[in-house]
Amino acid sequence: MDKKEILNEFSSDPDRYYKVKLFEEQGFVRKSCLKCKRYFWTLDSQRGLCPDDADDTYSFIGDPPTKKRFDYTQAWKEVESFFVKNNHTSVSRYPVVCRWRDDLYFTIASIVDFQRIMGSKVVFEFPANPLVVPQTCLRFKDLENVGVTGRHFSSFCMIGQHSIPNAQGYWKDECVDLDFRLLTEQFGIKKEEVVFVEDVWAGGGSFGSSLEYFVRGLELGNAVFTEFQGELGKHTILDQKIIDMGAGLERFAWITKGTPTAYDCCFGPITNHLFEKIGIDSDSEMLRKYFTAIAKNLEIHDDLIEVRRNAVKTTGLTQDQVNRIITPLEGMYLIADHLRTLIFAITDGALPSNVGGGYNLRMMLRRINGTMDRMNLKLDIDELVDMHIDYLRDTYPELDEKRQDVKTILKLESERYVESKVRMGKMAERLKGKGRAPTVDELITLYESDGITPEYLREIDVISEIPSSFYAKLSDLHQSDKKKDIEQLPLDDIPETEMLFYKDDPMEFDAKVLKVFDKSVVLDRTSFYARGGGQEPDYGTIAGSKVVDVNKHGGVIVHEIDGVIPKQGEVVKCKVDSLRRSNITKNHTSTHILNSSARGVLGSWIWQHSAFKEADHARLDITHHSSLTDKQVQDIENVANNIVAKDMSVTIQNYDRGTAEQKYGFKIYQGGVVPVKSVRIVSIEDFDVEACGGTHVKKTKEVELIKITKTKRIQDGVVRLEFVSGPTAKEYVKQQEIENTKRIQEEKQKEIKDKQREEEKQKAKEKIPILLEQVAAQSSSGTIDEIEINIDKIKSCFTNSKQYDEFFHMNFGKKLVKDNPNSVYVGIFESGPTIRVIAYSGDEASKSKNAGNIAKSVAEVLGGAGGGDAKFAQGGGKDTSKINDAIAKAKSMILG
């Protein structure tokens, strides 16, 4: 949708779209900017330029327009107090991990809190009307600006002021009046300082007018009036109009403090702590001039490198001042910002990884680590985490609860960064050798494949500057995958199926056939559970024919039949395979139990990534940073079976979605978003509560037993638990016991054999010298202790006696040919399932009797292979039926 076209249309009729009572009451006049032509409303009739183009832009730096001074947390208290006094409900922030939307990883605006997807439409569900919320939002497309511009953050608090215009809510007049009074009455800003700029907003198929409000060039908020849907000119009014006012809390603090940057008043004590570490005076006139120039140049230049260069020139900074003051300052702000973002994200269950939104988190932590390395800062990250949380916990108490989990994840990720630095260094050196800087796409590949950040490459002079498009392109690459197209079936005008599995759930029932197509049947009612939520479908029979698959399409359930297809209109007898259903049901409840057990054992970052439940096996994929140890697996299993043994009640209740979210929080979305208004909540007392459409036992003891059969790390940040429950688990335990018994017996047999082997080895050690003396003394062909001796031009010895093992053959043969260079030795013996041959030939004998040829030829007879050199070789094969042929071959080669 072309926003410029909408703006032109709306601005041509300002009385309809922009004029509000406040403008008339206070005497605001509408002006067109002499430079950019945008329309704005001001009390200064002489003003000719909009806030972006006026000379007073960012003049509040060093000269705030208020006598009141509020930092970040104080500013929120002022905002909250004002709106609560004016009949708004203050709502706690929603998670920054957007679990209720499958098209977003992170919460990017306060209005997202209240948006739910219903089919292809976005609907709004407010827990109160009107309301105000301090919503932490995460955005990663401008990461290169963070720390540099003085006002860009990777996470920020969007003050959300939201209203539905009805008996409780309000529309434009009251909204603008409230926002004006917030600035003038609560924050003490003179009304002449406030300027409103006309704009529009469009997204998700809807659009509306908006009024941005500025003070001295700083946009503090934007009141959006979402009113229409469709295409301009063909649009209609929404059934549910929405006020979506978003204001930056960081900017509210900044406007009252007038500090060089917004960072200086938004990170609490951490800022002064870092200033002391790098030894910079944060309140200097030079910094005020520099960051004012940065702010103004941002409105002129798109390229951040150019913005920075112009600000340096305008302020008259030397290169030494840039290196000694500006660059360290930018690094310090980056550390404070990125760390705050990571605290919020990890608290809300996200993990740094190479998957999805985890890319951004890992990138930020590596930027922190790289900055600390570059500045040679010895910072205690745990101490900085404590400073952030201690400062924020009055506003966001949930951060305090997850303090240790945040530290655990950050420590682990930082250790991985350190481990990767040597490898990164080698790759970077190779890049230097290419003689050209990598392209943006090559930089992205380097980060994705090898974790090499552009900051690191800049630090070691592989690149001179970070391309301004790098972070935006990286962020775009890792948005959620689009949903697959839904299969279209001939189901028009078919009423929704009565789902008996959510009611009395009979395993045998009668039903009427409403539709037949291909091998599929639609019934008016069914107890056959359709595939969904990772649970495999029920099997059984319909009119005697096998049901081999069941799927849900909207509210209609389609059964796939193998056999005679019943006729449309016919009433048929149906029977569900109750044993299969029972086993799947136990596995599904076990999935819930294991998920919460894993969270209790491992940490709050555990979320269900995906799950699969069949009759005889199941798997649960969880979000976790490392492979599981044997102890962790056993601990999870122990907790799970303790829940089973407690025989907890499993209850199922239906709630309005908003009520469920407010009552239980967003942990209910373990299995993903719920695209329906009514949410089915499955509770295992207070141990686990989830939104789930699957089948479940009524008491946990019905699960009988849970056994984890295997775990593995299937991708970065995701670990798979394969498990069984119920009768399958008991059978698994029985088989394990049989295997354990067998293994113990085998170990005992091995111990006996090892002992016998040692005894035989000792006997051989004692026997070999005696036999060698006897062989040496032998002057004619014969046999000594089953060793055949032939004396001709050379002395050859052969044996296939079962009393001799590998140790004997290796040692006896080696010493025989050493003592007598004109001798040959060949031994053939059994070794497990194979027949082995060992051949030695002395220095002189090897000239005519090649040990390698002997071993190779004998092994080939046995169906195997052999090798070695002329003096020593060995080989073997598995064809034990050819043992006599092998012996004959060996003798012929020795004697021939």
Side-chain angles (χ1 to χ4, degrees), residues 143 155 162:
L143 277 187
S155 63
H162 301 293

Side-chain angles (χ1 to χ4, degrees), residues 417-432:
Y417 170 77
V418 171
E419 291 167 3
S420 69
K421 282 179 68 177
V422 173
R423 176 180 52 78
M424 286 165 56
K426 290 178 181 177
M427 292 196 68
E429 287 302 316
R430 287 201 294 271
L431 288 171
K432 274 186 178 180

Side-chain angles (χ1 to χ4, degrees), residues 399-415:
L399 301 181
D400 198 22
E401 298 168 14
K402 305 294 172 56
R403 186 188 298 252
Q404 192 52 51
D405 286 350
V406 171
K407 292 178 180 179
T408 297
I409 298 301
L410 293 179
K411 181 181 179 184
L412 179 75
E413 275 292 313
S414 294
E415 288 170 351

Side-chain angles (χ1 to χ4, degrees), residues 6 24 100 130 210 240 272 295 445 458 510 645 683-684 704 757 764 806 817 831:
I6 300 172
E24 287 188 27
W100 56 96
S210 70
Q240 190 183 50
N272 287 334
T445 300
R458 181 178 62 182
D510 293 340
S683 305
I684 305 174
E704 302 176 63
R757 194 173 290 115
E806 181 179 5
V817 299
S831 177

Side-chain angles (χ1 to χ4, degrees), residues 13 34 51 78 102-103 112 145 164 206 220 355 388 436 513 535 590 702 735 762 787 844 887:
D13 190 0
L34 297 174
E78 293 298 316
D102 60 7
D103 57 337
V112 169
N145 290 336
I164 301 171
S206 57
L220 291 173
V355 180
H388 263 314
R436 67 169 180 85
V513 178
Q535 179 170 329
S590 297
E702 294 175 42
Q735 290 300 317
Q762 187 58 39
I787 298 174
E844 290 299 320
I887 292 169

Side-chain angles (χ1 to χ4, degrees), residues 7 63 106 117 141 145 260 359 432 560 583 604 652 712:
L7 182 58
D63 181 24
F106 297 113
I117 307 298
K141 290 195 174 185
N145 290 336
Y359 267 88
K432 274 186 178 180
E560 186 178 331
N583 289 340
S604 63
I652 297 173
K712 62 180 177 180

